[in-house]
């Protein structure tokens, strides 16, 4: 069990960026649920919660689950975009952020990992939000 001081020290470290950068995923999850895309919103929320726990605890057993849920959200995003009819400008914005996300994903190594992984998460939030907005607008 983590003490209060250990918890506060963990939150102050630079490697906490991948943790905090997950939080905005709850925005498209909430919008999706409110728009009637309940299973999609719950999937996003579940993936976010698992990723938060994984990044906070460094629980290596969750690495595969985190990755499977991330891929599942990616495929769900594509399906929701398909249901939207690839509505513009949301699809174009999502594509732009796919390129940005991949840049951070593939170049974030070594000392840049924490920052770039966080930017990967934030880019992915924009992609997911664009998918939700394409469907509801």
């Amino acid at each position: 069990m983590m003490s209060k001081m250990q918890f506060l020290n963990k939150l102050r470290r630079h490697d906490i960026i991948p943790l905090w950068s997950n939080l905005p995923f709850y925005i498209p999850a909430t919008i999706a649920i409110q728009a009637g895309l309940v299973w999609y919103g719950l999937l996003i929320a579940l993936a976010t919660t698992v990723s938060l726990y994984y990044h906070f605890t460094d629980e290596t057993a969750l690495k595969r689950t985190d990755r499977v849920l991330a891929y599942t959200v990616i495929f769900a995003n594509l399906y929701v975009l398909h249901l939207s009819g690839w509505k513009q400008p949301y699809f174009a914005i999502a594509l732009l952020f796919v390129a940005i996300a991949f840049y951070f994903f593939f170049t974030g190594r070594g000392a840049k990992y924490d920052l770039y992984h966080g930017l990967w998460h934030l880019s992915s939030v924009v992609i997911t939000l664009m998918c939700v907005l394409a469907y509801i607008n």
Side-chain angles (χ1 to χ4, degrees):
M1 185 80 180
M2 190 179 294
S3 73
K4 184 177 178 179
M5 187 55 80
Q6 289 172 316
F7 177 77
L8 292 174
N9 285 336
K10 173 82 172 168
L11 293 180
R12 289 186 189 114
R13 292 182 18 209
H14 77 282
D15 65 347
I16 206 70
I17 295 169
L19 176 70
W20 290 112
S21 61
N22 268 299
L23 291 174
F25 273 107
Y26 287 117
I27 296 168
T30 301
I31 295 170
I33 291 168
Q34 290 175 342
L37 296 170
V38 177
W39 291 110
Y40 178 54
L42 290 175
L43 170 65
I44 297 166
L46 174 64
T48 302
T49 302
V50 168
S51 188
L52 280 166
Y53 187 77
Y54 168 64
H55 285 295
F56 187 75
T57 63
D58 299 321
E59 177 61 52
T60 56
L62 283 177
K63 184 175 186 171
R64 185 168 186 203
T65 303
D66 180 57
R67 187 170 289 159
V68 167
L69 285 169
Y71 288 134
T72 305
V73 169
I74 290 168
F75 286 114
N77 284 345
L78 286 170
Y79 182 66
V80 169
L81 272 175
H82 169 73
L83 292 176
S84 79
W86 311 96
K87 193 176 290 175
Q88 296 296 340
Y90 308 103
F91 177 57
I93 295 168
L95 276 181
L96 171 65
F97 276 87
V98 165
I100 293 167
F102 279 138
Y103 171 79
F104 290 125
F105 184 78
F106 289 116
T107 61
R109 302 285 181 252
K112 299 186 291 187
Y113 174 79
D114 293 322
L115 174 62
Y116 278 34
H117 194 74
L119 292 170
W120 154 263
H121 285 167
L122 293 174
S123 299
S124 299
V125 168
V126 173
I127 295 164
T128 304
L129 181 61
M130 290 303 107
C131 296
V132 173
L133 293 177
Y135 182 82
I136 66 174
N137 288 315

